[in-house]
């Protein structure tokens, strides 16, 4: 059973906490955190280390027995952000009867209707005063109880609700926070919640808080369901399930000749064009520094890139039994059928015949079934990390992922078997002998 995955999902309601939890697992597995402002020093076979960017992306490296110039590196990349709602500054809105709702903006492309009438909570990072204005401190919070709800309008006031209704992101999607009990609470409900959460870690005054990046998250725990508990139900399967599969494979596979890399990016859902996204040169810069520290020449980096292989791991669309007409007639992956190689003639995915054949062979070697996904030709598909990363690192690579239903819903559905298959395939990619 994927109990570790469920725990990881529950503990990672936002990107910042996902990175914190991945870092903790890496540290436990013997990886050391490095400061990118300092020289790397000598890099040698067997070294394990990781680095973070913006508290919301993380990059782990295990140096192989062979030089990077001779063996290249094996890279698994995924992303830790998911569609949600970001709380705006000055967010409290006082309504009649003392009800307070929060002003929010949409992050990414969620299925808006799935966020109605669910117990929600708040998680993210809070920026507090540090030693000087250029070095503020970051504290993470996760309110671990139902705190808010975006409530539907009753059908009696909206008779067409079951026929499809346009939803305004500014009007319809604002969550109710509470009712003020006295005047002192007016305008301070959210800040009181933040201060109380921070004070569980250390004493923080409201005047110490400079800003925050806070988001809404489903407060209902991840779970399995189905007659045989064969399905996984959770928010953020896209793409935390791939992050966790990569983490499991990295920390539980033996040392290899080839250098192993796990890159967890942020902001895929908004285009990846940030310093912590796949469009950033940060990963390329780190690999260049590592290559130079190992060999003393910049040439080693370019040699390593030419021998490297990337798995861009982002979930795929599983066949939905109620909407078969939406899928390609011969390439529609099934839940429980194994990892999915994704193809697109317009080059929205990095997969080609060569890289697909390589990944299919990895799956065969791991005794894992493998599926293929191509969009229905009349329906435009999305894009992901692979080609964006390849613009700064010209890697051979494949776009793949586990099949899920209801992608970008507040709560998505995956398969237990597919999670186990994916971890096995990733371990084989990292060099484990089955």
């Amino acid at each position: 059973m994927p109990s570790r995955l469920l725990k990881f999902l529950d503990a990672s309601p936002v990107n910042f906490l996902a990175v914190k939890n991945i870092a903790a697992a890496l540290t436990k597995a013997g990886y050391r955190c490095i400061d990118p402002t300092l020289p790397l020093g000598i890099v040698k076979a067997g070294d394990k280390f990781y680095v973070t960017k913006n508290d919301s992306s993380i990059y782990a490296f295990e140096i192989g027995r062979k030089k990077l110039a001779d063996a290249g590196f094996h890279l698994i990349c995924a992303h830790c952000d998911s569609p949600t709602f970001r709380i705006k500054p000055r967010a409290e809105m006082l309504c009649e009867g003392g009800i307070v709702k929060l002003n929010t903006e949409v992050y990414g492309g969620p299925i808006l209707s799935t966020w109605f009438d669910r117990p929600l909570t708040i998680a993210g990072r809070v920026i507090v005063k540090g030693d000087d204005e250029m070095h503020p401190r970051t504290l993470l919070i996760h309110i671990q109880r139902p705190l808010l709800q975006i409530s539907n309008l009753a059908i009696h006031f909206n008779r067409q609700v079951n026929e499809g209704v346009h939803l305004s992101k500014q009007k319809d999607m604002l969550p109710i926070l509470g009712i003020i009990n006295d005047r002192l609470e007016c305008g301070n409900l959210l800040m009181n919640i933040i201060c109380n959460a921070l004070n569980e870690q250390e004493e923080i005054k409201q005047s110490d808080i400079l800003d925050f990046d806070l988001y809404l998250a489903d407060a209902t725990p991840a779970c399995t369901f189905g007659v045989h508990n064969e399905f996984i139900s959770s928010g953020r399967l896209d793409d935390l399930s791939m992050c966790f599969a990569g983490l499991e494979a990295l920390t539980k596979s033996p040392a290899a000749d080839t250098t192993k890399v796990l890159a967890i990016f942020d902001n895929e859902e908004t285009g990846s064009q940030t310093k912590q996204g796949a469009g950033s040169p940060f990963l390329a810069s780190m690999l260049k520094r590592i290559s130079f520290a190992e060999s003393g020449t910049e040439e080693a980096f370019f040699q390593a890139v030419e021998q490297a292989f990337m798995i861009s791991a982002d979930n795929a669309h599983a066949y939905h039994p109620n909407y078969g007409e939406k899928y390609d007639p011969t390439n529609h992956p099934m839940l429980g059928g194994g990892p999915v190689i994704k193809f697109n003639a317009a080059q929205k995915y990095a997969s080609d015949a060569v890289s697909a054949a390589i990944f299919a062979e990895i799956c065969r070697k791991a005794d894992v079934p493998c599926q293929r996904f191509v969009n229905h030709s009349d329906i435009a598909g999305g894009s992901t990390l692979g080609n964006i990363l390849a613009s700064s690192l010209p890697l051979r690579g494949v776009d793949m992922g586990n099949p899920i239903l209801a992608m970008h819903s507040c709560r998505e559905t995956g398969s237990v078997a597919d999670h186990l298959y994916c971890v096995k395939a990733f371990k084989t990619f990292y060099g484990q002998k089955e």
Side-chain angles (χ1 to χ4, degrees):
M1 295 297 292
S3 57
R4 290 192 301 276
L5 171 61
L6 300 183
K7 290 178 181 177
F8 175 74
L9 291 165
D10 289 342
S12 307
V14 292
N15 47 3
F16 307 111
L17 286 157
V19 166
K20 176 188 175 184
N21 294 326
I22 291 169
L26 289 169
T27 300
K28 186 176 180 181
Y31 290 72
R32 58 186 173 88
C33 181
I34 63 171
D35 183 345
T37 67
L38 300 176
L40 281 182
I42 298 173
V43 172
K44 60 185 185 301
D47 283 352
K48 299 180 181 182
F49 51 89
Y50 68 89
V51 61
T52 64
K53 188 75 170 175
N54 189 53
D55 306 315
S56 63
S57 64
I58 186 166
Y59 313 84
F61 309 88
E62 182 179 336
I63 307 303
R65 289 185 291 256
K66 292 185 178 180
K67 298 286 188 182
L68 274 161
D70 297 328
F73 55 89
H74 283 180
L75 164 67
I76 295 175
C77 59
H79 66 91
C80 59
D81 63 317
S82 299
T84 182
F85 296 83
R86 184 179 187 273
I87 298 174
K88 292 181 179 179
R90 300 174 60 193
E92 290 186 36
M93 304 172 72
L94 182 61
C95 307
E96 190 169 344
I99 292 177
V100 174
K101 60 184 181 181
L102 293 185
N103 194 9
T104 61
E105 60 179 329
V106 171
Y107 177 88
I111 303 175
L112 298 178
S113 61
T114 64
W115 285 78
F116 281 120
D117 304 319
R118 291 181 180 272
L120 304 174
T121 189
I122 291 173
R125 68 177 177 181
V126 180
I127 311 304
V128 300
K129 291 178 181 177
D131 294 334
D132 58 62
E133 68 276 9
M134 293 300 296
H135 299 91
R137 295 190 301 128
T138 298
L139 298 174
L140 304 185
I141 65 169
H142 177 195
I143 310 299
Q144 299 200 25
R145 69 176 180 90
L147 188 64
L148 314 98
Q149 183 167 289
I150 303 171
S151 292
N152 251 306
L153 181 66
I155 193 171
H156 310 78
F157 301 125
N158 188 7
R159 296 290 184 180
Q160 287 75 45
V161 67
N162 292 325
E163 299 170 19
V165 173
H166 171 75
L167 295 173
S168 164
K169 297 171 184 176
Q170 184 62 67
K171 174 180 173 60
D172 298 308
M173 306 310 299
L174 302 185
I176 296 170
L177 177 62
I179 300 175
I180 58 170
N181 291 323
D182 58 57
R183 290 186 179 181
L184 292 176
E185 286 187 326
C186 189
N188 289 307
L189 275 186
L190 180 60
M191 290 305 295
N192 289 342
I193 290 167
I194 293 171
C195 283
N196 289 338
L198 293 177
N199 284 331
E200 294 178 5
Q201 305 174 45
E202 60 178 275
E203 187 175 348
I204 296 292
K205 296 179 292 187
Q206 196 171 125
S207 58
D208 294 328
I209 296 174
L210 302 175
D211 215 327
F212 56 73
D213 289 313
L214 295 177
Y215 298 85
L216 306 188
D218 185 10
T220 306
C223 67
T224 57
F225 72 98
V227 173
H228 309 291
N229 278 314
E230 62 266 54
F231 302 118
I232 301 170
S233 173
S234 175
R236 307 173 302 284
L237 286 176
D238 174 26
D239 193 32
L240 289 186
S241 61
M242 293 291 95
C243 295
F244 189 74
L247 177 66
E248 287 273 277
L250 181 68
T251 57
K252 292 180 168 56
S253 57
D257 289 340
T258 304
T259 292
K260 297 184 280 190
V261 182
L262 176 66
I264 307 299
F265 297 103
D266 191 13
N267 303 132
E268 189 275 343
E269 300 294 355
T270 56
S272 296
Q273 300 303 314
T274 61
K275 63 186 179 297
Q276 59 274 3
S280 166
F282 183 74
L283 176 59
S285 298
M286 285 301 305
L287 287 167
K288 188 176 293 187
R289 291 173 67 180
I290 291 167
S291 298
F292 191 87
E294 182 190 59
S295 67
T297 69
E298 190 177 23
E299 183 71 15
F301 165 71
F302 298 105
Q303 290 177 270
V305 168
E306 292 306 311
Q307 298 184 78
F309 193 86
M310 166 192 64
I311 293 178
S312 170
D314 199 357
N315 289 116
H317 297 294
Y319 177 81
H320 195 306
N322 293 348
Y323 302 96
E325 72 279 3
K326 297 292 186 181
Y327 296 82
D328 182 77
T330 61
N331 297 279
H332 44 265
M334 309 300 294
L335 287 171
V340 179
I341 301 171
K342 301 191 286 188
F343 295 91
N344 184 270
Q347 304 302 304
K348 290 185 176 180
Y349 299 132
S351 310
D352 58 25
V354 174
S355 63
I358 290 170
F359 184 75
E361 184 64 10
I362 289 168
C363 289
R364 186 201 63 78
K365 191 174 178 182
D367 195 25
V368 165
C370 184
Q371 307 183 83
R372 285 164 172 78
F373 171 82
V374 185
N375 279 302
H376 187 293
S377 295
D378 294 328
I379 299 175
S383 59
T384 184
L385 299 165
N387 281 342
I388 294 172
L389 181 61
S391 65
S392 60
L393 277 170
L395 302 167
R396 290 185 304 163
V398 63
D399 268 302
M400 56 73 63
N402 275 345
I404 64 171
L405 293 174
M407 188 180 290
H408 288 202
S409 172
C410 185
R411 205 163 179 94
E412 299 159 329
T413 296
S415 159
V416 171
D418 289 333
H419 170 65
L420 301 177
Y421 287 145
C422 194
V423 172
K424 284 185 68 178
F426 284 178
K427 284 181 177 178
T428 300
F429 175 62
Y430 276 147
Q432 178 164 303
K433 309 297 182 186
E434 295 297 325

